[in-house]
């Protein structure tokens, strides 16, 4: 599964400084990119919006606004490539002036005030044509909230790829650069998981399954191979692993200096994630890997 960064406008292709070779694309170029990936056999995409600061507010309301470019481009993608599997991002951070995934009050995240916002966001995405919604916010109870919200509105066929075991990681840096979404204050440790915790991942997985998730995700992937294996061995639904921006950027930097053989390092990395038990590998190298195979 290939993650892609979308910006508003036309003809825009800007490289992310901390992520050489990875670009933010406007809708027209993103459609081309998807066409090329499809031809190579990469048919599933995780789409993220880079939202201009002027469109952000405290409640992240642009996330479900009818004129939202992310929703509009998603509809265009599904019109042009109905057989593509398109997965959304459900979280407040791309849209919120606080840069947090949830509603902020007095420096804390208010879990239950966040849920209705996530519900509206997921519904707007389902209406736009996304095949699955991907809650990356890590609020408690959001899978059930979103499932019930979508079902009530008739979107029983829209799936949920839940970010189940998402750790408060140092490896999200290039992604936050790409979206310009770093938290304005504090960190995400009150809602993302403590990297020291293993059994908590299992607890999160059981909760997500009970709440109605269709697929579970472990994130990051490479530093959490044991967690991928743990969840794979203890759940009957597919497990996705997110090889995140910082994990990819390290490899890119080393290869640029001639310290690693890029192609071999990518192949071994993706193989390791697969060996750990991932049914679905989400990686910024998806297209490059497909190219090297063909
Ligand atoms: C936030 C979100 C993050 C990523 C995906 N969704 C970053 C964060 O939690 O701050 C990171 C993905 C990557 O690093 O590639 N909702």
């Amino acid at each position: 599964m290939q993650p892609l960064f979308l910006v508003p406008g036309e003809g825009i292709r800007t490289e992310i400084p901390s992520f050489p070779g990875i670009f933010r694309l406007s809708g027209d170029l993103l459609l081309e990119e998807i066409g090329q990936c499809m031809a190579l056999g990469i048919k599933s995409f995780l789409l993220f919006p880079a939202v201009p600061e002027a469109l952000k507010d405290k409640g992240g309301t642009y996330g479900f606004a009818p004129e939202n470019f992310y929703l509009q481009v998603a509809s265009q993608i599904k019109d042009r490539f109905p057989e593509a599997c398109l997965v959304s991002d459900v979280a407040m951070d791309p849209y919120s002036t606080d840069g947090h995934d949830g509603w902020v009050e007095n420096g804390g995240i208010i879990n239950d005030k966040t849920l209705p916002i996530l519900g509206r966001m997921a519904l707007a995405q389902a209406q736009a044509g996304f095949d699955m919604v991907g809650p990356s916010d890590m609020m408690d109870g959001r899978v059930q909230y979103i499932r019930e919200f979508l079902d009530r509105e008739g979107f029983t066929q829209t799936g949920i790829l839940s970010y189940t075991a998402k750790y408060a990681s140092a490896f999200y840096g290039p992604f936050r650069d790409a979206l310009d979404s770093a938290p304005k204050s504090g960190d995400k440790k009150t809602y993302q998981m403590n990297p020291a915790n293993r059994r908590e991942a299992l607890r999160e997985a059981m909760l997500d399954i009970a709440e109605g998730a269709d697929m579970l995700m472990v994130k990051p992937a490479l530093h959490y191979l044991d967690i991928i294996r743990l969840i794979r061995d203890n759940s009957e639904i597919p497990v996705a692993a997110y090889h995140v921006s910082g994990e990819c950027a390290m490899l890119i930097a080393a290869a640029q200096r001639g310290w690693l053989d890029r192609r071999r390092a990518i192949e071994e990395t993706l193989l390791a994630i697969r060996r750990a038990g991932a049914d679905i590998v989400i990686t910024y190298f998806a297209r490059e890997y497909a190219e090297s195979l063909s």
Side-chain angles (χ1 to χ4, degrees), residues 93 101 136 166 172 175-176 188 192 219 242 245 284:
D93 57 319
D101 297 32
S136 69
K166 175 175 176 180
Y172 304 147
F175 175 97
R176 292 180 189 172
K188 299 192 175 186
Q192 299 182 349
K219 174 185 173 183
Y242 197 154
S245 58
Y284 297 89

Side-chain angles (χ1 to χ4, degrees), residues 222-233:
L222 208 45
H223 293 78
Y224 296 84
L225 295 176
D226 58 323
I227 308 296
I228 297 173
R229 171 52 58 194
L230 180 71
I231 295 191
R232 174 63 288 153
D233 286 346

Side-chain angles (χ1 to χ4, degrees), residues 77-260:
I77 295 169
K78 287 302 295 181
D79 281 347
R80 190 125 140 230
F81 304 105
E83 69 281 28
C85 174
L86 198 57
V87 184
S88 74
D89 181 44
V90 183
M92 288 179 66
D93 57 319
Y95 306 103
S96 133
T97 40
D98 290 313
H100 274 287
D101 297 32
W103 179 275
V104 179
E105 239 167 67
N106 302 322
I109 305 295
I110 312 296
N111 190 96
D112 290 6
K113 238 179 164 168
T114 307
L115 298 181
I117 298 169
L118 301 176
R120 291 183 73 176
M121 215 181 258
L123 176 62
Q125 293 167 349
Q127 285 166 337
F130 278 99
D131 299 282
M132 302 190 86
V133 296
S136 69
D137 56 282
M138 293 304 280
M139 298 302 120
D140 292 332
R142 93 280 205 209
V143 172
Q144 181 173 353
Y145 191 95
I146 290 170
R147 183 71 273 157
E148 286 173 357
F149 205 87
L150 291 179
D151 287 354
R152 215 170 29 238
E153 300 290 335
F155 288 90
T156 54
Q157 298 302 311
T158 305
I160 300 180
L161 166 55
S162 176
Y163 289 58
T164 294
K166 175 175 176 180
Y167 287 88
S169 170
F171 292 93
Y172 304 147
F175 175 97
R176 292 180 189 172
D177 275 354
L179 296 199
D180 216 354
S181 65
K184 297 284 170 5
S185 67
D187 56 40
K188 299 192 175 186
K189 289 181 183 167
T190 62
Y191 48 105
Q192 299 182 349
M193 283 172 54
N194 181 340
N197 292 2
R198 202 167 93 94
R199 281 171 303 183
E200 188 186 359
L202 207 49
R203 186 160 170 253
E204 293 281 3
M206 297 306 133
L207 284 167
D208 280 0
I209 292 169
E211 289 181 31
D214 298 285
M215 294 183 185
L216 306 175
M217 187 201 290
V218 175
K219 174 185 173 183
L222 208 45
H223 293 78
Y224 296 84
L225 295 176
D226 58 323
I227 308 296
I228 297 173
R229 171 52 58 194
L230 180 71
I231 295 191
R232 174 63 288 153
D233 286 346
N234 288 284
S235 88
E236 280 154 20
I237 61 175
V239 176
Y242 197 154
H243 182 213
V244 299
S245 58
E247 294 180 313
C248 294
M250 287 196 298
L251 196 159
I252 293 169
Q256 273 183 342
R257 291 172 190 209
W259 294 349
L260 291 178

